[in-house]
Amino acid sequence: MPVSKKTAVLLATATLLCLSTAAPALADDKPGGASNNSSDKDKPKPPASMSTVGGARLGEPGTQVDLRAGAPVLPKDLSARSWMVSDAESGEVLASHNSHWRLAPASTLKMLFADTVLPKFPKTAKHRVETKDMEGIGAGSSLVGVKENETYSVHDLWLGVFLRSGNDAVHVLSSMNGGVAQTVKDMQAHAEELQALDTHVVTPDGYDEKGQVSSAYDLTLFARSGLQKKDFREYCSTATAKFPGETKKVKKGKDKGKTKRGEFEIQNTNRLLTGDLGLDPYKGIAGVKNGSTTNAGTTFTGVAERNGKVLLVTVMNPDSGESQAVYKETARLLDWGFAASGKVKPVGELVAPKGANTGSGKGAPGKGQAGGAESAAKATDEGSGGGMGVALGVTGGVLALIAGGLFLLNRRWPLPDLVRRRRP
């Protein structure tokens, strides 16, 4: 597929803003939450003061947007407790609503898991699953169907994580990484490196646990960092794939008595990617991750491209009662963001990782991206795996592949080689 090189960049402040000292607001025990105009006093409210990472406006409760002449008004049908619209390349936050409210993230936390662990193992590596690998999976977890005493490639396991949100696949990869406790520690360290300071990791898979929180702002940072990695982009944009089944003895035919391993098809649970349940695929969608738990309600971070503009939208816990509300509210915000681009004054920015290298001027190469980009490039750029169905004709990719993920003196950050998706 043809690759075009376009340097897409982000203007960030010279000084990264500090985390607010205000006490965090945790998600309650029930799904659902206050809509933007709700007057129900029983519903949870955001704290009066939140983190100011990315800008002071982002620490204020409520909706933050600065409309210029000709800008469209925000969609009216928004009920999420928290949401944010940002330019994936420039890092400008176009609009936000309680974007630093610390809430249960559900499986959108798997974006941090993938961004942390994916670079550590080549996709061709094999692992035979043992009983200990599957310990600690929460009751009612989403599963892809990993079986003990079967061997899987790392590639297979990541398909299970991204497409089926399989907590079984997460636990196997965590076991390979030294165990769940070590993986949680690694994820927390990576979150802090990314300046995702609203996030407290308790489980690697996003399963509800006391104190496990993130924010729309942090989830957007995870998506943006993950999208720097070729394999991450491949997996999150894959619609369907074949997954290995169980090894069984053949009962009939010429191979009777021999063992044979079957396979079955899995489909991505991101409904804006695949369509389904009354939704059409969103034009230009290219990932990223959805989630749903009792504490979190529904959560979603999506990335889409239209007319050369790439936007990230995160939506947390809509409570409108509308079917597939998290996807519909995301689509409305994406539509608004594309229409509003260039017509709004940014209310904040997506900050750079703490350890990001800078070059000596515009276009100058750095020595590597924070969070292990050099090892990521080695592990992920060996080529994409075959046999995966990708919905609706993903075209070749590409927004500026800058090797190693450089940072410039003015802290601009390119988003390389983003897979674009278009409807026929």
Side-chain angles (χ1 to χ4, degrees):
M1 291 184 280
V3 175
S4 65
K5 292 203 171 184
K6 160 188 166 185
T7 304
V9 292
L10 127 44
L11 179 64
T13 55
T15 302
L16 296 176
L17 297 171
C18 297
L19 180 68
S20 170
T21 56
L26 303 184
D28 68 351
D29 292 332
K30 298 179 181 179
S35 63
N36 292 355
N37 299 313
S38 174
S39 59
D40 188 343
K41 294 181 180 179
D42 293 332
K43 292 183 178 179
K45 301 293 190 295
S49 179
M50 293 172 280
S51 167
T52 57
V53 170
R57 289 281 298 273
L58 302 183
E60 299 175 12
T63 301
Q64 308 299 321
V65 65
D66 283 337
L67 302 177
R68 292 174 173 167
V73 297
L74 283 164
K76 293 182 179 180
D77 299 329
L78 299 175
S79 67
R81 291 186 189 177
S82 175
W83 54 258
M84 191 170 79
V85 183
S86 57
D87 186 310
E89 296 177 291
S90 74
E92 294 175 343
V93 177
L94 306 184
S96 71
H97 180 76
N98 303 326
S99 61
H100 276 296
W101 192 357
R102 302 179 76 185
L103 300 166
S107 286
T108 45
L109 193 65
K110 289 184 173 79
M111 294 186 295
L112 174 61
F113 170 73
D115 194 39
T116 303
V117 178
L118 192 152
K120 298 186 178 186
F121 306 104
K123 61 168 62 177
T124 55
K126 304 281 188 179
H127 180 77
R128 183 175 176 83
V129 176
E130 302 177 10
T131 301
K132 67 179 181 61
D133 298 336
M134 307 282 277
E135 292 174 352
I137 298 175
S141 286
S142 54
L143 305 172
V144 66
V146 174
K147 301 296 183 184
E148 296 175 14
N149 301 316
E150 294 283 6
T151 298
Y152 298 85
S153 69
V154 167
H155 177 72
D156 294 330
L157 294 170
W158 282 118
L159 287 173
V161 172
F162 277 90
L163 273 67
R164 295 303 303 171
S165 203
N167 289 3
D168 46 358
V170 170
H171 276 253
V172 172
L173 287 162
S174 296
S175 181
M176 293 172 64
N177 187 53
V180 167
Q182 181 62 51
T183 300
V184 167
K185 182 179 178 181
D186 292 347
M187 290 170 65
Q188 190 67 56
H190 189 47
E192 292 168 7
E193 170 66 22
L194 294 176
Q195 303 275 355
L197 304 180
D198 298 324
T199 298
H200 179 64
V201 183
V202 181
T203 67
D205 50 25
Y207 190 84
D208 283 339
E209 291 288 352
K210 185 177 181 180
Q212 179 147 278
V213 290
S214 191
S215 66
Y217 185 89
D218 285 10
L219 293 174
T220 303
L221 290 182
F222 301 151
R224 191 164 184 255
S225 179
L227 288 165
Q228 306 299 308
K229 299 173 176 62
K230 181 179 178 180
D231 283 0
F232 187 106
R233 296 191 299 274
E234 176 196 339
Y235 293 132
C236 79
S237 66
T238 298
T240 61
K242 297 295 184 181
F243 193 80
E246 292 185 79
T247 301
K248 297 180 179 179
K249 283 189 176 182
V250 179
K251 296 182 178 180
K252 297 181 181 179
K254 63 179 182 179
D255 294 328
K256 183 178 180 180
K258 296 181 179 180
T259 58
K260 184 178 181 181
R261 191 170 189 185
E263 62 180 15
F264 55 93
E265 185 174 280
I266 55 175
Q267 177 174 297
N268 202 311
T269 55
N270 174 357
R271 304 303 179 192
L272 288 188
L273 184 71
T274 62
D276 203 1
L277 301 178
L279 292 173
D280 292 326
Y282 186 84
K283 182 179 180 180
I285 195 73
V288 175
K289 190 71 188 75
N290 57 306
S292 177
T293 65
T294 300
N295 283 0
T298 53
T299 60
F300 182 64
T301 297
V303 63
E305 180 272 341
R306 190 177 295 175
N307 299 323
K309 181 67 65 176
V310 184
L311 298 182
L312 279 162
V313 168
T314 296
V315 171
M316 300 187 76
N317 204 339
D319 76 336
S320 65
E322 180 182 25
S323 175
Q324 307 301 314
V326 75
Y327 299 114
K328 292 178 180 178
E329 295 190 18
T330 297
R332 291 170 192 143
L333 286 168
L334 283 168
D335 286 344
W336 175 85
F338 288 122
S341 180
K343 301 175 183 177
V344 297
K345 181 180 178 181
V347 295
E349 64 173 2
L350 302 176
V351 297
K354 289 191 296 186
N357 290 321
T358 58
S360 59
K362 186 174 182 180
K367 294 183 179 179
Q369 172 184 324
E374 291 177 352
S375 62
K378 184 180 292 184
T380 62
D381 288 346
E382 295 175 348
S384 46
M388 289 194 287
V390 180
L392 305 173
V394 173
T395 67
V398 252
L399 301 172
L401 179 57
I402 307 288
L406 77 98
F407 254 82
L408 308 179
L409 272 180
N410 58 3
R411 296 192 183 277
R412 295 187 170 197
W413 196 8
L415 177 66
D417 197 25
L418 176 67
V419 176
R420 296 176 181 177
R421 180 174 307 283
R422 302 182 188 280
R423 289 169 62 185

